[in-house]
């Protein structure tokens, strides 16, 4: 049963992570010019992430018999495990983007933020 828990969490988390990366790429290609479109895409992204987490948790809970049950703690643990895997996928995407594609822009944004913080202090 424990092996099934981690396998299902891996499947769900990977799919959620890949969908999240897809939305991140879509957001990046839209750019900052179209704020209304960005708001719609961000809302849609959040809604789809919640629905995917709900669907995968519901699918996993359906595999438990009524005698054994599916406790709140088990469900919460499953969602946390899925989000760990999704976070790994998103972190991998962020690291690749920062290292190879947007390194200079990221460094410039950090420098600007540090300059603003120095002005505040």
């Amino acid at each position: 049963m424990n092996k099934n828990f981690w396998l299902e969490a891996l499947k769900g988390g990977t799919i959620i992570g890949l969908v999240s990366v897809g939305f991140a790429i879509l957001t990046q290609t839209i750019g900052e010019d179209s704020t209304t479109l960005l708001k719609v895409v961000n809302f849609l992204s959040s809604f789809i992430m919640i629905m995917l987490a709900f669907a995968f948790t519901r699918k996993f809970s359906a595999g438990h018999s009524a005698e054994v049950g599916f406790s709140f703690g088990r469900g919460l643990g499953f969602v946390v495990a899925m989000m760990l895997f999704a976070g790994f996928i998103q972190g991998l995407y962020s690291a690749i983007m920062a290292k190879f594609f947007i390194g200079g822009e990221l460094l410039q944004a950090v420098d600007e933020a540090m300059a603003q913080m120095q002005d505040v202090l």
Side-chain angles (χ1 to χ4, degrees):
M1 188 69 116
N2 199 20
K3 185 177 181 180
N4 188 31
F5 174 88
W6 288 108
L7 183 63
E8 291 298 318
L10 175 65
K11 287 180 190 176
T14 302
I15 291 171
I16 290 172
L18 290 174
V19 169
S20 176
V21 166
F23 274 112
I25 292 171
L26 178 62
T27 302
Q28 193 172 16
T29 57
I30 291 173
E32 297 176 6
D33 299 334
S34 177
T35 57
T36 305
L37 185 57
L38 280 176
K39 288 179 184 178
V40 170
V41 169
N42 286 333
F43 174 77
L44 189 61
S45 170
S46 299
F47 180 75
I48 289 175
M49 295 303 135
I50 291 169
M51 297 293 18
L52 283 172
F54 176 76
F56 286 123
T57 306
R58 187 173 181 139
K59 178 184 171 197
F60 180 69
S61 69
H64 291 73
S65 64
E67 295 82 30
V68 175
F70 189 72
S71 68
F72 176 77
R74 184 90 167 150
L76 184 62
F78 182 74
V79 171
V80 168
M82 274 196 313
M83 293 304 115
L84 286 173
F85 289 118
F88 177 77
I89 299 289
Q90 292 169 339
L92 189 62
Y93 163 75
S94 295
I96 290 171
M97 288 299 290
K99 179 73 175 171
F100 298 110
F101 296 106
I102 59 170
E105 295 171 13
L106 186 62
L107 187 59
Q108 183 180 1
V110 169
D111 288 342
E112 289 174 5
M114 292 299 288
Q116 289 175 354
M117 292 304 279
Q118 287 177 348
D119 290 342
V120 170
L121 300 175

